[in-house]
Amino acid sequence: MQFTKPGLLAGLAFGALVAATPAYAQVTLKVWSIDGVDRTGIADTFSKEFDEANDDIVVEYRAIPFDEIVNETLRAFATGNAPDIVSFDNPDFALFSSRGAMLDITDRVANSPIISKAEYFEGPLNSVTWEGKLYGLPKYTDTIGLFYNKDLFAKAGITEPPSTWAELAEDAAKLTDPANNVYGVTFSARAGEEGTFQFLPIIQMSGGGANKVNTEGAAQVLDIWKGLIDNGYASRDVLSLGQWDSTGVFNSGNAAMAISGPWEIDRMVEDAKFDWGVALLPTINEDDQKSSALGGFNWGIMANTQHPDEAFRLLEYFVEQEDRIFPEFGNLPARGDIELPVTGEAKKDAALVVFQDQLQYAQPRGPHPEWQKISKAIYDAEQQALTGQMPAMDALNQAQATIDTIFKQ
Amino acid sequence: MTAQIELDRIDKHYGSFHALKNISLTIPKGSFVALVGPSGCGKSTLLRSIAGLETISSGRMSIAGKEMTGVPPRHRDIAMVFQSYALYPHMTVEENLTYSLRLHSVGKAEARQKAAEVAATTGLTQLLGRYPRQLSGGQRQRVAMGRAIIRNPKAFLFDEPLSNLDASLRVQMRKEIRALHDRLGATSVYVTHDQIEAMTMADWVVVMRDGIIEQQGRPLDLYDRPVNRFVAGFIGSPAMNFLAGKIAESGDAVLLDAGGTLPLARRLEPGRAVIAGVRPEHLVVSKDAATFHLDVGTVESTGSATYLTSQDGSFQLVQSERTDLAAVDRVGLRIDPAHVHLFDPTTGIAL
Amino acid sequence: MSRYFSGLRDGIGFDIILVGAALLFLLALAGAPLVYNVLMSFQQVDMFTLGSLFRPAVGFDNYVAVVQQPEFWLVTRNTLIFVFGSMTGQFVLGFALALFFAQNFPGASTIRGLFLVSWVMPGLVVGGIWSLILAGDYGVLNVILRSFGIIGSNVFWKSDPNFSIWAVIIANIWLGLAFNMLLLSVGLAAIPRDLYEAAELDGANAFQRFWTITLPMMRSTIGAVLSLGLIGTLQQFDLFPALTEGGPANTSNVAGYWSWQLSFQLYDFAKGATVSVMMFLLVLFASVIYVRSTRHEVRG
Ligand SMILES: Nc1ncnc2c1ncn2[C@@H]1O[C@H](COP(=O)(O)OP(=O)(O)O)[C@@H](O)[C@H]1O
Ligand SMILES: [Mg+2]
């Protein structure tokens, strides 16, 4: 393209004029999220659309890496520079909502023609609720289930995936094949949120929760898991592998089962050279209440926004577009009223059905403003038990003591 | 006299560079031998080979009758004084002196005793507690000497030990080193590029050039009877003048190309081209008996001697008397025929 | 003009200006964040007061709370092991390599230059690579150790509480090796050759030359290398998230990573600051020892 100099100058002048005198008063909304840091996602795409569709509203979008978004928002909030809308990982949400940093949108949602609270799954909704009030909306959700290698199961003569942890241990023993470098099962018990993510459901299905972790059932499962590791049915490196790497072991055929989530499906379709399926996360006893971890992000409007009405309009726009998030971004909506389109990839479609089912049992981590401290107490206890540094119950009791001090505050 | 150091056809190569070429040398016990020659001629290489700091490429070497090839320096019982002194910066003078004793686990008291003795002979008694950086150049030099003599080694090697000192200190140290040598009766090999040092200090002078020994002998023999033009030019200060010419019909004089004649004390084949060498101090200014002439360029006098230099700068003479000659004068010169040296113009070998 | 300056330079006033400028610099650069951290360790910090300087004072509560954390003593022990293990490894291997390359065999300087690669690589990348090397099932290290018969079955470096801190130490040694070696190489090169020759003629064997010449001559270099090593090791962060995240169960957690975890993962900024102040005191203690040990140093 060639500009003539006068033409360029005129263009510049015109641009300056436009910038200086908007046609009418404009509202600027700031939106922060992790989308767009390494690939485009929900928040950056929809923000841009809304910005272009509405002349009266300018949306300034900022992508912030996962590790920094909470700290960045904390700092911004403390100095009065907080965004209008922000998206947090669901366990981080209570840190803000419990301290009045998020706008109470209970009434707005109730009056909204677009948003229907009843359609949301219970777990995700809990994570944006604090003391009965609604401070945000789920953005998308995910959970974990049990992937299993159908070929290896057939070879070992096992017809059904396990439904209890004890069964899983039995199956793992049969499936383990050191000569071929095959472990029975793999999971992530890493020292971090991923470790808690996979272990908290056990606590929950044993009747416990974030405030009560030292349950008999949880200790029992820890002993089973420790047995898996000690017997070589699971690699000792589950203590340092993240979920992505752990599932990689499954994909390469070196583990017959893996605990992981729907975000793995596309890679598995690509990498796994065997027939595989997904089952619901095993329970402790046959007819125990099912549970699963709740992953996924939430939306929230920050309490000190100058433009709550416009911000809520943007939120409504996000919700309106939710039928697009699976086809376009592969994220699962946190609502029961959106049908997932069939992809035609049989294993994937079958897996999604199971995960949709599993989502009904997904329970949030917390919600609690000091969730991360609770989480550390939980994964520390898990690791102490699995490495044999402490008997499972002792480790859970120690975690409980820490958690008690957090809840007592 | 027994040979303390015996070098037999030594060669040293640095890659493709031939640094020492077939060097044979016998150093008698108790003698003071100077290795002299222009910079880069291989003196240090030869000295370091004796010390064992360089491995020789071929040849044999013995010290006090023992074969030394392959023997590491620490087993050769030799002391060396480096041009840089190589004092241990982190040790006091006393620690520097006693380092070798401590390595050989000599008792503390004995080491101190010896250090005190050596300090006394080298004038370091007041400085024993100081670090090298707190010493002047001359004092460091003494420490380096002291460190060598405390061990009572089979031989002393010196590598231009005085070149970092100022002129007057150099003259003084020259005498001190020689006196020390005489007192200890040790065998010394002394490397220098300064022929005056070599001539004044040594019993035996070895003149080197380009990795070979050009001539060796007693200092005055080298002065009186240089075997070639290089040695003739190197030994003596100011340097010998060289004049091209050819033998006269009579056979007992040189007809100089620049004009004039030099009488000879012997007879040579007439018509032969030669280079005549005359030392500046042997020329005499003479009005009547002059056989050739000099156009005086500069006249310099130190009081005790007068230096005349030709207008083209190629020729010098020294007179012990004062002179009233001026820069533009043409003077007549003569020389005692016995003092005329002759060299072959192509080989440089003395005739 | 020049008279004016020389008068200034000779006078005591100039010294004061120099000292003053240096102190001001130190205060601005190192002091401000430090003071802020110390202040924070005596305060109650939450998300509403994060941006302000003056917050409710809580005395030594944060310190008491930190010490009462169940992992406190474990982290302290790990920190000491980590610092001591890393520094010893980096220093001894770095020195050995520096001595090796000082032999000036053909290609020595080129190969030595290649060691810089480890230095320019970001810690997270190094951590990722070591994470693969140290993996229990398919890690290269286990393959090598097994093929030499040193171990019978796989060692789960990152997951076994007996080895997890050593997994990070091994990676950290590798990370700091080049720096140590290069600094020590420079120190070695600064020792005049003739000192060694003099010592050799004085009767010192290789070991004696090392002890009586190399080591004392390298004293200030060694002091610098060790202090920088201490600081670098205490500051080491990248390797932890890549390798163990301080696990299993804090068996590889050290003060630096813990401080970060407290501040930026658990959002307990006051405790995070408290741990960093404790670390600072440790460094201060080490520097005092270092300064005392070099006070009588003499250089040639
Ligand atoms: N390590 C070496 N490698 C290659 N050449 C060297 C080495 N040491 C000395 N030489 C060469 O050998 C010759 C003799 O050196 P040296 O013995 O030091 O001369 P000098 O007579 O001035 O003491 C010089 O041309 C020098 O360049
Ligand atoms: Mg030399």
Side-chain angles (χ1 to χ4, degrees):
Chain A
M1 216 188 324
Q2 284 247 304
F3 286 107
T4 62
K5 212 170 180 189
L8 188 63
L9 282 176
L12 280 176
F14 180 70
L17 215 66
V18 169
T21 56
Y24 38 85
Q26 271 185 329
V27 166
T28 300
L29 292 178
K30 287 198 283 181
V31 179
W32 289 4
S33 136
I34 70 163
D35 297 344
V37 170
D38 34 39
R39 62 196 149 100
T40 50
I42 297 170
D44 51 340
T45 310
F46 294 169
S47 295
K48 188 151 170 274
E49 289 171 9
F50 187 78
D51 176 62
E52 278 159 12
N54 294 277
D55 288 339
D56 58 331
I57 297 176
V58 175
V59 182
E60 279 180 7
Y61 179 74
R62 184 175 161 206
I64 298 174
F66 181 89
D67 289 338
E68 290 161 30
I69 191 156
V70 171
N71 285 299
E72 192 67 18
T73 311
L74 279 175
R75 235 187 322 266
F77 183 76
T79 54
N81 300 312
D84 299 279
I85 292 186
V86 65
S87 170
F88 294 124
D89 194 10
N90 72 76
D92 293 328
F93 200 82
L95 172 63
F96 292 86
S97 59
S98 66
R99 304 300 305 267
M102 308 310 290
L103 189 70
D104 176 2
I105 55 170
T106 316
D107 295 338
R108 289 176 192 269
V109 168
N111 298 328
S112 169
I114 292 163
I115 305 169
S116 165
K117 190 178 157 186
E119 299 297 345
Y120 284 95
F121 295 129
E122 189 191 330
L125 210 53
N126 276 341
S127 72
V128 286
T129 305
W130 183 254
E131 292 179 347
K133 298 210 180 74
L134 199 60
Y135 288 93
L137 288 172
K139 176 178 169 188
Y140 68 89
T141 188
D142 55 41
T143 187
I144 51 173
L146 181 71
F147 290 89
Y148 64 104
N149 182 326
K150 289 186 176 170
D151 292 353
L152 289 177
F153 268 60
K155 206 170 115 190
I158 307 169
T159 48
E160 289 290 313
S163 60
T164 66
W165 290 107
E167 273 176 42
L168 181 138
E170 274 172 41
D171 291 351
K174 288 183 205 149
L175 291 159
T176 300
D177 180 5
N180 290 314
N181 292 324
V182 175
Y183 283 111
V185 61
T186 184
F187 53 99
S188 174
R190 188 171 167 81
E193 193 59 32
E194 287 173 298
T196 304
F197 188 60
Q198 295 211 345
F199 179 55
L200 183 66
I202 312 300
I203 295 174
Q204 289 165 336
M205 58 181 72
S206 69
N211 57 350
K212 167 114 181 95
V213 298
N214 53 347
T215 62
E216 281 298 330
Q220 209 179 312
V221 174
L222 279 181
D223 285 337
I224 292 175
W225 286 7
K226 180 170 188 297
L228 291 175
I229 294 171
D230 291 348
N231 291 319
Y233 304 154
S235 168
R236 190 166 291 280
D237 266 348
V238 298
L239 287 150
S240 57
L241 289 179
Q243 300 183 98
W244 184 255
D245 293 330
S246 159
T247 313
V249 176
F250 175 81
N251 290 349
S252 61
N254 296 112
M257 295 179 276
I259 296 170
S260 200
W263 61 85
E264 293 287 356
I265 292 174
D266 285 336
R267 179 170 65 138
M268 206 174 286
V269 167
E270 277 280 304
D271 292 0
K273 305 281 179 274
F274 50 82
D275 192 15
W276 53 269
V278 183
L280 295 180
L281 208 59
T283 52
I284 301 169
N285 299 306
E286 198 65 61
D287 34 48
D288 269 357
Q289 199 212 319
K290 291 196 177 302
S291 181
S292 174
L294 175 73
F297 274 62
N298 297 327
W299 297 114
I301 299 174
M302 296 215 74
N304 49 5
T305 177
Q306 299 296 309
H307 314 289
D309 298 333
E310 287 81 358
F312 193 73
R313 260 173 65 197
L314 177 53
L315 200 58
E316 284 182 323
Y317 179 76
F318 289 155
V319 174
E320 230 175 346
Q321 307 302 316
E322 269 171 5
D323 55 343
R324 290 167 53 198
I325 65 175
F326 180 73
E328 287 182 34
F329 308 107
N331 294 126
L332 297 176
R335 302 151 54 174
D337 61 336
I338 295 177
E339 284 282 319
L340 295 189
V342 172
T343 64
E345 172 68 52
K347 279 180 270 192
K348 178 171 178 176
D349 288 333
L352 283 170
V353 170
V354 178
F355 279 118
Q356 286 277 79
D357 188 12
Q358 181 83 74
L359 267 178
Q360 301 177 38
Y361 310 112
Q363 297 186 40
R365 288 159 276 164
H368 193 278
E370 299 205 70
W371 168 252
Q372 299 295 351
K373 287 186 190 169
I374 298 169
S375 175
K376 182 162 165 57
I378 293 173
Y379 67 70
D380 279 352
E382 179 189 10
Q383 292 202 322
Q384 279 166 336
L386 295 185
T387 53
Q389 296 179 86
M390 266 192 200
M393 204 61 214
D394 292 0
L396 291 172
N397 284 337
Q398 183 184 307
Q400 187 62 47
T402 306
I403 288 169
D404 284 344
T405 64
I406 296 170
F407 273 90
K408 241 176 270 157
Q409 275 169 9
Chain B
M1 247 194 284
T2 56
Q4 183 73 347
I5 301 174
E6 182 95 57
L7 305 179
D8 184 16
R9 286 164 290 166
I10 301 279
D11 275 280
K12 171 71 186 171
H13 296 269
Y14 288 115
S16 62
F17 181 73
H18 202 167
L20 295 178
K21 299 167 188 159
N22 201 29
I23 301 278
S24 293
L25 181 63
T26 301
I27 297 172
K29 191 174 164 110
S31 65
F32 194 115
V33 173
L35 302 179
V36 66
S39 180
C41 70
K43 311 178 294 285
S44 295
T45 305
L46 183 56
L47 195 74
R48 293 164 57 80
S49 299
I50 295 172
L53 296 173
E54 303 284 350
T55 39
I56 53 178
S57 310
S58 66
R60 296 160 61 82
M61 172 190 310
S62 65
I63 295 173
K66 279 205 212 75
E67 176 63 37
M68 279 296 140
T69 322
V71 175
R74 66 177 191 279
H75 292 146
R76 294 194 178 195
D77 193 16
I78 268 181
M80 183 156 163
V81 176
F82 293 79
Q83 179 174 357
S84 62
Y85 312 139
L87 301 182
Y88 311 123
H90 55 291
M91 297 184 200
T92 60
V93 169
E94 179 166 0
E95 287 164 345
N96 264 281
L97 292 178
T98 57
Y99 180 69
S100 59
L101 303 181
R102 284 180 286 137
L103 286 176
H104 293 103
S105 39
V106 171
K108 238 189 185 127
E110 190 187 340
R112 291 204 78 142
Q113 166 71 21
K114 275 204 162 175
E117 281 168 23
V118 169
T121 55
T122 47
L124 292 168
T125 308
Q126 305 301 314
L127 308 173
L128 282 174
R130 289 209 195 162
Y131 286 94
R133 69 198 153 87
Q134 299 167 314
L135 301 177
S136 73
Q139 290 166 337
R140 289 179 202 192
Q141 218 286 323
R142 284 166 203 270
V143 178
M145 299 275 301
R147 195 172 62 180
I149 58 183
I150 201 165
R151 284 171 40 201
N152 197 17
K154 291 210 180 69
F156 291 102
L157 308 179
F158 299 87
D159 193 354
E160 313 216 14
L162 304 183
S163 53
N164 287 341
L165 302 180
D166 63 55
S168 64
L169 200 54
R170 201 147 54 201
V171 173
Q172 182 195 336
M173 285 309 297
R174 233 151 67 184
K175 294 201 180 73
E176 285 191 23
I177 291 176
R178 178 67 216 203
L180 207 61
H181 168 86
D182 291 341
R183 188 146 45 79
L184 299 174
T187 310
S188 300
V189 185
Y190 189 102
V191 160
T192 177
H193 66 272
D194 178 353
Q195 52 93 21
I196 295 186
E197 257 176 37
M199 298 287 284
T200 52
M201 294 174 77
D203 310 321
W204 191 259
V205 175
V206 177
V207 182
M208 292 180 66
R209 179 169 66 149
D210 291 343
I212 61 165
I213 294 178
E214 293 278 359
Q215 187 175 5
Q216 48 178 308
R218 276 191 288 275
L220 291 183
D221 288 347
L222 295 185
Y223 179 88
D224 291 338
R225 283 180 292 280
V227 296
N228 57 32
R229 184 178 161 180
F230 170 74
V231 176
F234 192 79
I235 301 291
S237 172
M240 183 182 275
N241 300 301
F242 295 105
L243 303 161
K246 60 175 189 284
I247 305 295
E249 283 301 325
S250 58
D252 60 358
V254 179
L255 301 175
L256 298 174
D257 293 352
T261 57
L262 289 176
L264 294 176
R266 52 198 167 132
R267 216 166 255 285
L268 277 104
E269 173 195 343
R272 175 178 182 163
V274 293
I275 300 285
V278 291
R279 295 198 181 274
E281 56 273 29
H282 292 154
L283 289 161
V284 182
V285 175
S286 159
K287 290 203 175 64
D288 34 306
T291 61
F292 67 111
H293 291 86
L294 171 72
D295 294 317
V296 179
T298 57
V299 182
E300 295 153 313
S301 181
T302 61
S304 61
T306 304
Y307 297 83
L308 303 181
T309 308
S310 66
Q311 276 172 11
D312 62 2
S314 67
F315 198 93
Q316 253 202 336
L317 70 88
V318 185
Q319 279 198 299
S320 52
E321 310 91 51
R322 302 211 175 168
T323 173
D324 52 0
L325 288 169
V328 291
D329 288 346
R330 167 170 252 244
V331 294
L333 298 174
R334 76 180 158 75
I335 186 168
D336 178 350
H339 285 147
V340 176
H341 302 265
L342 291 180
F343 306 99
D344 185 289
T346 46
T347 62
I349 292 171
L351 299 173
Chain C
M1 194 62 182
S2 75
R3 256 253 295 275
Y4 169 73
F5 272 120
S6 70
L8 192 66
R9 224 172 297 140
D10 295 339
I12 191 160
F14 193 65
D15 290 348
I16 292 174
I17 292 174
L18 280 181
V19 172
L23 278 180
L24 215 68
F25 218 64
L26 198 72
L27 212 70
L29 245 71
L34 184 68
V35 168
Y36 183 74
N37 247 2
V38 173
L39 198 65
M40 198 145 84
S41 73
F42 290 105
Q43 293 175 330
Q44 182 192 324
V45 185
D46 64 21
M47 63 189 290
F48 296 101
T49 56
L50 204 52
S52 47
L53 198 56
F54 299 102
R55 290 169 278 233
V58 293
F60 280 92
D61 284 5
N62 290 322
Y63 288 85
V64 174
V66 162
V67 175
Q68 281 175 348
Q69 293 276 107
E71 62 264 45
F72 176 79
W73 291 109
L74 182 58
V75 171
T76 306
R77 197 192 72 133
N78 289 342
T79 307
L80 295 178
I81 294 176
F82 182 65
V83 167
F84 188 75
S86 297
M87 284 178 63
T88 311
Q90 288 176 353
F91 181 75
V92 171
L93 291 178
F95 213 150
L97 279 174
L99 288 170
F100 178 68
F101 284 115
Q103 303 310 309
N104 274 326
F105 51 89
S109 56
T110 315
I111 302 173
R112 183 170 48 195
L114 286 180
F115 271 81
L116 277 172
V117 171
S118 75
W119 201 12
V120 299
M121 284 211 309
L124 275 173
V125 176
V126 173
I129 292 170
W130 276 98
S131 183
L132 295 176
I133 296 174
L134 295 169
D137 291 309
Y138 310 103
V140 178
L141 186 62
N142 277 342
V143 173
I144 293 171
L145 292 179
R146 259 208 324 264
S147 72
F148 282 111
I150 298 170
I151 54 171
S153 60
N154 283 340
V155 174
F156 288 85
W157 294 98
K158 295 179 291 176
S159 309
D160 189 326
N162 299 316
F163 294 106
S164 54
I165 187 71
W166 293 102
V168 195
I169 289 174
I170 290 171
N172 193 36
I173 288 174
W174 188 85
L175 199 61
L177 197 55
F179 179 72
N180 274 254
M181 182 197 69
L182 288 171
L183 236 63
L184 291 167
S185 283
V186 172
L188 278 180
I191 303 176
R193 267 214 71 73
D194 55 12
L195 289 192
Y196 289 111
E197 294 178 344
E200 210 173 341
L201 287 165
D202 271 344
N205 59 30
F207 180 75
Q208 289 167 324
R209 289 197 295 276
F210 180 77
W211 264 112
T212 57
I213 308 291
T214 310
L215 273 186
M217 292 292 288
M218 295 275 285
R219 206 170 145 152
S220 57
T221 309
I222 290 171
V225 166
L226 288 182
S227 348
L228 292 173
L230 174 69
I231 291 166
T233 300
L234 283 174
Q235 273 190 338
Q236 179 53 50
F237 171 78
D238 295 336
L239 293 177
F240 290 90
L243 284 170
T244 64
E245 294 204 282
N250 292 311
T251 50
S252 64
N253 208 351
V254 299
Y257 186 69
W258 196 39
S259 166
W260 175 86
Q261 259 190 337
L262 286 168
S263 290
F264 300 113
Q265 240 181 10
L266 311 188
Y267 311 117
D268 195 337
F269 297 94
K271 275 200 203 126
T274 305
V275 173
S276 73
V277 170
M278 288 173 160
M279 274 170 70
F280 173 74
L281 292 178
L282 189 74
V283 176
L284 203 66
F285 180 68
S287 353
V288 168
I289 291 178
Y290 167 61
V291 169
R292 274 174 163 268
S293 77
T294 53
R295 186 179 291 164
H296 305 291
E297 180 174 6
V298 268
R299 260 172 251 135

